[in-house]
Amino acid sequence: MGYFSQSRFDVRLEWGENAIQQMAGDVDCVIIVDVMSFSTCVSIAVGRGAKVYPYPWKDATAIEYGDRLGAITASATRRFDNEQYSLSPASLLGIPQDTQLVLPSPNGSALAFKARDSGAAVFCGCLRNLEATAVACAGYQRILVVPCGEKWPDGSLRPALEDWLAAGGIIAHLLERNLSSEAQTAAAIFQTLPLAVLRQCSSAHELIERGFAADVELCLAMNADDKACRLQDDHFIY
């Protein structure tokens, strides 16, 4: 990775799956940021005492994986369905303590699943647990913050403003550290832009148009949760 590793810096930022593949093995801590909606779902569920198992594929293998674990598998056919657990944050507000939930998604969940093998501590960060995540990760020397982004129809990465802003917010709590230029820029964007702009971003517009404005509000609730979410073996806990 040479030129692109940001290895001279304590706090680094890079996008998507390639960040995990190319950079996670050279850090002590990886923070996965997928605001709309995987990271928000994890923060809500874990904050209520559930265990969340990331899984990359939204197909029949997710159910098989859940069955092997003795866990519930969130809906993979309807992304935002309040009638059962899914990637709709609102669907998780009443999740009982000690529930084991497999939460498949091709973005945050897939990256968290991949990061398990990096040797680094893996956290799931979002706006809801922004400060708690920064505090929990501050003790690590080398930190990689990974805004996940979304995918275009051809499967390529679509950088997502909400992930960049939340990543920058976490980094903004670590300004005394040696930050890469990429990390500094994200922090500066967070400090400059009002949070309200995210209600007009593409990801929010999609959810609102589909009737899930309540999910947008849950995703944008700054520091509503006071627990950091860390991957222990194969599941997130606090």
Side-chain angles (χ1 to χ4, degrees), residues 42 77 89 107 216:
V42 172
T77 57
N107 299 310
V216 173

Side-chain angles (χ1 to χ4, degrees), residues 4 24 37 39 72 91 111 115 135 159 172 178 189 193 230-231 238:
F4 310 111
S37 298
S39 294
I72 300 168
S91 75
L111 268 61
V135 170
N178 182 20
I189 292 294
L193 287 179
R230 178 174 177 173
L231 195 64
Y238 63 81

Side-chain angles (χ1 to χ4, degrees), residues 45-163:
V46 166
R48 286 154 176 74
K51 298 177 180 177
V52 178
Y53 295 78
Y55 193 73
W57 302 289
K58 296 171 65 174
D59 57 21
T61 66
I63 298 174
E64 295 169 4
Y65 182 64
D67 289 345
R68 291 199 302 272
L69 294 170
I72 300 168
T73 299
S75 172
T77 57
R78 289 174 293 182
R79 184 178 180 193
F80 299 99
D81 177 7
N82 290 333
E83 295 180 0
Q84 63 184 112
Y85 301 134
S86 71
L87 276 173
S88 166
S91 75
L92 299 169
L93 289 174
I95 194 168
Q97 187 175 0
D98 297 324
T99 300
Q100 298 182 78
L101 179 69
V102 174
L103 190 59
S105 90
N107 299 310
S109 193
L111 268 61
F113 191 86
K114 190 177 187 68
R116 298 186 310 173
D117 300 325
S118 68
V122 178
F123 288 81
C124 194
C126 60
L127 293 169
R128 293 185 65 91
N129 67 358
L130 189 150
E131 186 171 346
T133 301
V135 170
C137 297
Y140 293 94
Q141 180 62 37
R142 300 171 299 169
I143 301 169
L144 173 63
V145 186
V146 183
C148 296
E150 299 290 339
K151 286 185 169 60
W152 290 108
D154 66 0
S156 60
L157 173 69
R158 177 179 73 79
L161 178 61
E162 67 276 10
D163 293 348

Side-chain angles (χ1 to χ4, degrees), residues 53-54 112 116 230-236:
Y53 295 78
R116 298 186 310 173
R230 178 174 177 173
L231 195 64
Q232 177 178 288
D233 299 323
D234 54 1
H235 61 276
F236 283 102

Side-chain angles (χ1 to χ4, degrees), residues 139-223:
Y140 293 94
Q141 180 62 37
R142 300 171 299 169
I143 301 169
L144 173 63
V145 186
V146 183
C148 296
E150 299 290 339
K151 286 185 169 60
W152 290 108
D154 66 0
S156 60
L157 173 69
R158 177 179 73 79
L161 178 61
E162 67 276 10
D163 293 348
W164 199 29
L165 230 63
I170 294 169
I171 295 165
H173 285 77
L174 304 169
L175 293 179
E176 75 282 0
R177 305 291 292 276
N178 182 20
L179 308 183
S180 72
S181 297
E182 291 82 357
Q184 289 183 55
T185 302
I189 292 294
F190 173 80
Q191 293 170 321
T192 302
L193 287 179
L195 188 63
V197 303
L198 293 183
R199 290 184 173 83
Q200 304 298 324
C201 74
S202 297
S203 300
H205 181 69
E206 175 198 5
L207 296 186
I208 292 168
E209 285 293 306
R210 293 173 59 189
F212 301 104
D215 281 342
V216 173
E217 294 306 312
L218 289 170
C219 290
L220 300 187
M222 178 76 74
N223 291 321

